[in-house]
Amino acid sequence: VRVMRDQKATLMVLADTHVGTEEAAAMAALLQLEGIAMRYTAATVDAETGAMNAGTMIWWDPRELELRVDVEQREGRQERRERVEEVEAGRILRVELTVVREQRELVVYGVYMPIRQRAREAEASWRHLHERLEREESGRIAVGGDMNAETEEWLRRRGRAQRDWTKSDVWMHYVMDSHDMRAMANSATYRAGTQIDNWLVTTALHERMGATMSAPGVCGKDHQIVKTTYISTQREVANR
């Protein structure tokens, strides 16, 4: 909460939370008291060790962003269905929001992709994301979180030839190309000098994006926060 307040963030993705269902539900209730909305896909439990793995959350300021809800009449009563979807347990969460001051849709995916060494798991997760993006009707989409993959630009900057790319890197580029997405990060985001944390936005949304910068992460010396700016206005963005 302190990080979100200090960074003046309207929306935040937390990846690899290691938070189970009961704890996440309790967190959501406490955050509501702080004026923060949160939805999550809980960490999964390793069958052999009992360890908590992965977990993804999306936090937002409900004064600026509203969760989209469908209301249906059933047997004389109203039923509400939030537009929140667990695309992959512990890994990929999708929410549909409305930018309040514009009354325009914003689809946000929070992701925690498997590490690159787990090529088969990583390929499955990227495939799940790709297949869900294929069904999108909105053009205003942002995918944020720990990708455990890097852009071509950053790989080249680190001296990595294309033959050295991992399956995760290949899949990230395939998803970006297939869905006309651009990466927002412009610096290293992990202590090893890699850029594995990012925001990927569609071209339609990129027209509204401003500056991107890094900040110390929630866990301090591990990952950096990738903070990007959405310019909320009803007028066309020019000369920014």
Side-chain angles (χ1 to χ4, degrees):
V1 172
R2 185 181 67 251
V3 169
M4 189 170 185
R5 302 286 193 226
D6 290 348
Q7 296 296 326
K8 296 180 174 60
T10 299
L11 181 143
M12 186 163 67
V13 171
L14 284 82
D16 198 18
T17 62
H18 292 257
V19 175
T21 302
E22 291 185 8
E23 187 179 0
M27 285 180 63
L30 291 172
L31 287 170
Q32 189 173 12
L33 298 176
E34 295 283 346
I36 298 171
M38 185 267 272
R39 297 297 182 271
Y40 61 88
T41 173
T44 56
V45 181
D46 188 291
E48 294 182 1
T49 66
M52 304 292 283
N53 298 315
T56 306
M57 296 178 176
I58 301 176
W59 298 17
W60 68 90
D61 183 343
R63 297 171 302 178
E64 298 286 345
L65 298 166
E66 289 182 349
L67 180 62
R68 292 197 160 196
V69 177
D70 294 319
V71 179
E72 299 178 357
Q73 290 286 347
R74 288 193 178 181
E75 299 179 355
R77 68 178 188 274
Q78 287 189 342
E79 290 190 1
R80 293 165 52 86
R81 183 179 65 83
E82 295 183 344
R83 294 193 186 182
V84 177
E85 180 182 348
E86 184 182 72
V87 178
E88 182 182 346
R91 297 282 183 191
I92 306 172
L93 179 67
R94 175 186 181 275
V95 298
E96 290 185 33
L97 304 167
T98 297
V99 181
V100 173
R101 67 182 67 187
E102 296 177 335
Q103 288 301 298
R104 299 185 70 184
E105 182 183 38
L106 175 63
V107 177
V108 178
Y109 287 78
V111 304
Y112 173 58
M113 294 307 198
I115 59 175
R116 288 185 273 202
Q117 292 85 341
R118 296 180 178 175
R120 187 173 298 179
E121 292 179 31
E123 184 173 7
S125 293
W126 280 104
R127 189 182 299 277
H128 288 151
L129 176 61
H130 168 62
E131 290 174 350
R132 185 61 186 86
L133 287 168
E134 286 275 87
R135 306 201 310 272
E136 287 290 358
E137 297 179 0
S138 173
R140 292 165 50 83
I141 304 167
V143 180
D146 186 343
M147 310 291 171
N148 274 311
E150 298 176 87
T151 64
E152 178 178 2
E153 179 183 358
W154 199 261
L155 287 165
R156 286 182 174 176
R157 186 168 175 173
R158 295 202 301 115
R160 298 299 177 93
Q162 193 164 355
R163 64 177 178 273
D164 300 322
W165 290 11
T166 65
K167 278 192 175 181
S168 297
D169 300 322
V170 172
W171 262 101
M172 179 173 167
H173 286 86
Y174 176 70
V175 167
M176 291 176 66
D177 290 344
S178 298
H179 305 287
D180 199 17
M181 305 187 92
R182 302 187 189 185
M184 298 303 299
N186 52 23
S187 61
T189 66
Y190 187 60
R191 61 174 180 256
T194 53
Q195 192 189 75
I196 58 176
D197 309 279
N198 222 318
W199 280 99
L200 310 180
V201 300
T202 51
T203 298
L205 193 59
H206 190 264
E207 296 173 353
R208 296 284 178 181
M209 304 307 291
T212 300
M213 62 200 75
S214 296
V218 174
C219 297
K221 298 179 180 179
D222 193 11
H223 293 256
Q224 293 280 300
I225 293 171
V226 180
K227 180 181 178 182
T228 192
T229 307
Y230 174 79
I231 303 171
S232 180
T233 174
Q234 294 181 345
R235 295 174 296 176
E236 290 303 310
V237 178
N239 302 320
R240 65 170 184 258

